[in-house]
Amino acid sequence: QVQLVESGGGLVQTGGSLRLSCAFSGGTFSTYSMAWFRQAPGKEREFVAGIGWRGGTINYADSVKGRFTMSSDNAKNTVYLQMNSLKPEDTAVYYCAARTSSLVVVTTFYDYKYWGQGTQVTVSS
């Protein structure tokens, strides 16, 4: 059974940086597509960034382009989300998600089967 464990959230001031990690286990990492989503109170879960099959494509939500960078370390079965120039509107619980590999990056949360427990990111103004 695939398991995802996130870490790295916390409290940071506006303009600061955080790096989230998501450790994957219970399956063959290279056969899954990974993504980050976030959910703020009272809002729907939204796509942040995702990696397509074998890391060939990385897509970002418009709201984070140029500020966030997603990467993958296949040797460690881990994906990362480097978040720079953080804004108060980035405050949310951030989730790592996995689904069977697709060539294109899937941005809809209901298409992902496996989810981590979430990690809180709070950006103070």
Side-chain angles (χ1 to χ4, degrees), residues 4 6 21-23 34-37 79 94-98 114-116 118:
L4 306 173
E6 301 108 332
S21 300
C22 173
M34 305 293 293
W36 289 96
F37 288 78
V79 294
Y94 283 70
Y95 297 92
C96 177
Y114 303 103
W115 293 86

Side-chain angles (χ1 to χ4, degrees), residues 59-105:
N59 284 8
Y60 298 93
D62 288 343
S63 58
V64 306
K65 277 181 184 176
R67 300 187 299 123
F68 290 13
T69 302
M70 184 174 182
S71 61
S72 177
D73 185 336
N74 292 338
K76 295 182 178 181
N77 288 0
T78 299
V79 294
Y80 303 95
L81 186 68
Q82 177 66 44
M83 306 185 294
N84 298 329
S85 303
L86 282 161
K87 306 174 182 180
E89 51 263 45
D90 294 318
T91 295
V93 177
Y94 283 70
Y95 297 92
C96 177
R99 52 161 286 149
T100 50
S101 279
S102 57
L103 287 175
V104 298
V105 175

Side-chain angles (χ1 to χ4, degrees), residues 22-63:
C22 173
F24 172 101
S25 63
T28 303
F29 184 62
S30 61
T31 65
Y32 286 82
S33 293
M34 305 293 293
W36 289 96
F37 288 78
R38 66 186 182 186
Q39 189 165 18
K43 294 188 177 181
E44 191 171 270
R45 192 166 297 191
E46 65 172 357
F47 173 81
V48 175
I51 292 180
W53 186 65
R54 294 189 180 271
T57 305
I58 302 178
N59 284 8
Y60 298 93
D62 288 343
S63 58

